[in-house]
Amino acid sequence: MPRGRVLICGAGVAGSILAFWLAKQDFQVVVIERSKAEQKAGQGLEIEEPALKVVKAIGILEKLNEVRTGEVGFNLVDEHSRSYGIFEVGGVSPTGALELMRGDLTEVLYKSANESANVTYRFETTIRSLRQTEEKVIVDLENRNSKTITVEEFDLVVGADGVKSRTRELVMGSPEQLNCYKPVGAFVAYFSIPKEDQDWPYSRLCHFTNRRIVWLRPIGENSAMTSATLIHARDDVAALRRANAAGDRLKQKEALTELYSGLGWETPRVVEQMMRAENFYSDELVQVRLQHWSRHRVVLLGDAAWASSPFTGQGNQLAIIGAWVLAQELSRNRSPKTAFEAYEKRLRGYVEASQEIPLRGYAPYVFNPQTAWGIWLLRTLVRLVSWTVRVFSGTVLARMLPDRQPDDFDLEIEQG
């Protein structure tokens, strides 16, 4: 007998992993996603332990290795492309052993979950409203293409729909009511630009005064595109904040163009191609902190519950681990209340530790200096660390550094 009908809002990393495991436990799963099926966007990311164990358990490690970016390391450069330190994969390098583009990871996860007869994906579909009874959740779903609305019943609803979660707002209230957004003092933009020879095989990052960064990362040796990231570690850009709040892509691009105008290195090329980029995304970085992750028959997962911000490097890890734990507890407990309580009890301490931004929250400023002197000092220190890595193992050096994120979460994987 089917164990229940579950609606998952969001076909990202967390949503598809949860769908995969719930289908294995005979839940009937519907996954809705506001974007189109073929839309692939997002930044580069990596998968490390203990999240890697979940990926291996799904059986997709070989497929992920086939679509990894092939980035071999990280190169810190100045405006004249002079290197101040090259860090190969692993250790203290920003480049991980399994480096992927978010769109490639979500596509592999979607295909794996969609193989099950128990899983149905509906793209270009959003949640309009929901109401809960003792036994069910009644949901109004809207197809964005046809504008049709259907009313359906589910036993559970999972909000895995990101920082600006519609599910969270419907069930718990607006971010202002919840006071759940904690700004980290930075803006970010992700997009792709046509690749040039120098974009392969290392990622390259260049600092500019007033806490501005341009970071170029390879997407793949045979890809025609390169991933570009702009990071501005200040929160006083009114035009960009207004554009982000309105979701106006053109105004976002115009504000960033003004912010990055007149800078050297590859910046003119990056800004010019940004104006043409279709997979552009920009926003102000915030963390999400909630007192509770569930209410009755609705539970939150991933960034909707605990967005950590890219400065922690833990967002993707938490999405994978969180989906695994929630699936486990729903399979172990018939009562949603009991399952959700167990899920939060197991995971909350790990999440809160992972949300801590390195260097007591000052990492965005230490690694993105305000002044030319600060940039010179950072480059000098990076050059020293680069030299040290050549003498000592990068992994050994990483263990010596403070503020390492926790990696010992017990996934309770049954052996055999």
Side-chain angles (χ1 to χ4, degrees):
M1 290 289 292
R3 296 196 54 179
R5 194 164 187 250
V6 179
L7 173 66
I8 299 176
C9 304
V13 174
S16 286
I17 290 178
L18 180 64
F20 177 90
W21 290 113
L22 289 184
K24 293 284 188 183
Q25 297 296 325
D26 288 329
F27 286 90
Q28 300 299 308
V29 183
V30 174
V31 185
I32 63 171
E33 169 59 43
R34 66 180 292 110
S35 64
K36 298 178 180 180
E38 67 272 15
Q39 183 170 321
K40 292 172 63 177
Q43 71 276 30
L45 46 81
E46 61 180 301
I47 302 176
E48 300 176 313
E49 295 292 358
L52 190 58
K53 291 186 176 68
V54 177
V55 168
K56 291 176 179 176
I58 296 174
I60 57 172
L61 185 57
E62 184 176 343
K63 293 178 182 177
L64 293 181
N65 277 319
E66 292 174 359
V67 297
R68 62 180 180 171
T69 65
E71 181 179 315
V72 300
F74 170 84
N75 186 9
L76 181 68
V77 300
D78 68 7
E79 297 89 336
H80 306 288
S81 291
R82 292 176 299 206
S83 176
Y84 279 78
I86 294 178
F87 299 86
E88 307 295 338
V89 170
V92 296
S93 175
T95 304
L98 185 55
E99 202 75 41
L100 304 158
M101 296 305 297
R102 179 179 176 82
D104 291 326
L105 173 59
T106 55
E107 183 178 40
V108 170
L109 290 170
Y110 151 65
K111 288 181 177 179
S112 296
N114 199 43
E115 288 177 356
S116 172
N118 291 342
V119 177
T120 302
Y121 277 83
R122 300 182 193 172
F123 291 93
E124 296 186 84
T125 302
T126 59
I127 184 170
R128 279 281 301 267
S129 65
L130 64 79
R131 48 207 177 275
Q132 300 192 63
T133 69
E134 287 294 323
E135 301 295 332
K136 298 287 181 181
V137 185
I138 304 166
V139 184
D140 293 345
L141 298 176
E142 180 179 18
N143 182 286
R144 300 178 69 202
N145 189 30
S146 65
K147 303 300 181 184
T148 56
I149 297 175
T150 59
V151 181
E152 301 185 35
E153 292 187 355
F154 297 91
D155 297 284
L156 306 169
V157 172
V158 181
D161 44 352
V163 173
K164 298 179 180 180
S165 170
R166 171 68 172 162
T167 311
R168 183 185 63 223
E169 184 167 357
L170 288 172
V171 175
M172 298 181 179
S174 68
E176 293 75 20
Q177 292 172 315
L178 296 170
N179 191 30
C180 64
Y181 284 172
K182 309 300 176 185
V184 299
F187 295 94
V188 68
Y190 306 107
F191 50 96
S192 298
I193 64 174
K195 184 172 76 172
E196 295 186 359
D197 291 344
Q198 66 271 22
D199 297 332
W200 175 265
Y202 288 90
S203 72
R204 296 173 298 142
L205 184 148
C206 189
H207 291 91
F208 300 95
T209 55
N210 294 321
R211 306 193 190 283
R212 291 169 291 182
I213 282 176
V214 177
W215 192 1
L216 298 178
R217 307 190 71 174
I219 292 177
E221 184 174 10
N222 298 319
S223 174
M225 307 299 286
T226 288
S227 173
T229 302
L230 304 181
I231 304 171
H232 181 51
R234 293 182 62 165
D235 58 3
D236 57 354
V237 187
L240 186 53
R241 175 172 282 120
R242 288 194 299 270
N244 286 336
D248 189 324
R249 284 193 175 187
L250 179 58
K251 290 190 180 299
Q252 288 173 326
K253 291 180 178 182
E254 289 174 345
L256 287 164
T257 297
E258 182 177 353
L259 185 62
Y260 280 81
S261 65
L263 301 183
W265 190 54
E266 306 261 0
T267 309
R269 165 201 168 201
V270 170
V271 170
E272 179 184 357
Q273 294 298 331
M274 174 187 69
M275 296 302 295
R276 304 171 184 172
E278 296 183 359
N279 64 344
F280 174 88
Y281 173 83
S282 176
D283 211 345
E284 183 175 5
L285 295 179
V286 298
Q287 292 189 328
V288 173
R289 294 178 181 260
L290 293 168
Q291 291 185 344
H292 302 286
W293 297 341
S294 64
R295 182 162 295 177
H296 308 307
R297 290 180 170 270
V298 180
V299 65
L300 302 176
L301 173 65
D303 283 351
W306 60 65
S308 59
S309 98
F311 291 124
T312 68
Q314 296 297 303
N316 188 57
Q317 305 293 103
L318 292 175
I320 295 171
I321 294 168
W324 168 268
V325 173
L326 180 56
Q328 275 186 323
E329 296 305 332
L330 286 172
S331 68
R332 293 170 176 174
N333 299 281
R334 290 284 181 175
S335 163
K337 181 176 184 295
T338 304
F340 296 162
E341 287 176 350
Y343 154 70
E344 187 164 345
K345 181 178 180 180
R346 282 180 61 190
L347 203 56
R348 179 171 281 277
Y350 185 79
V351 165
E352 291 179 350
S354 298
Q355 285 182 313
E356 294 300 317
I357 295 175
L359 302 178
R360 299 183 182 275
Y362 287 99
Y365 310 105
V366 171
F367 294 110
N368 197 355
Q370 169 74 13
T371 65
W373 181 88
I375 293 173
W376 173 85
L377 180 60
L378 176 62
R379 288 171 178 166
T380 302
L381 291 173
V382 169
R383 176 169 280 174
L384 176 61
V385 172
S386 177
W387 177 84
T388 306
V389 168
R390 295 193 189 102
V391 179
F392 301 98
S393 163
T395 303
V396 171
L397 182 61
R399 290 173 181 164
M400 298 166 59
L401 296 176
D403 294 310
R404 294 182 70 241
Q405 297 295 347
D407 59 3
D408 57 350
F409 183 81
D410 184 7
L411 293 169
E412 300 182 8
I413 296 178
E414 296 180 3
Q415 300 300 320

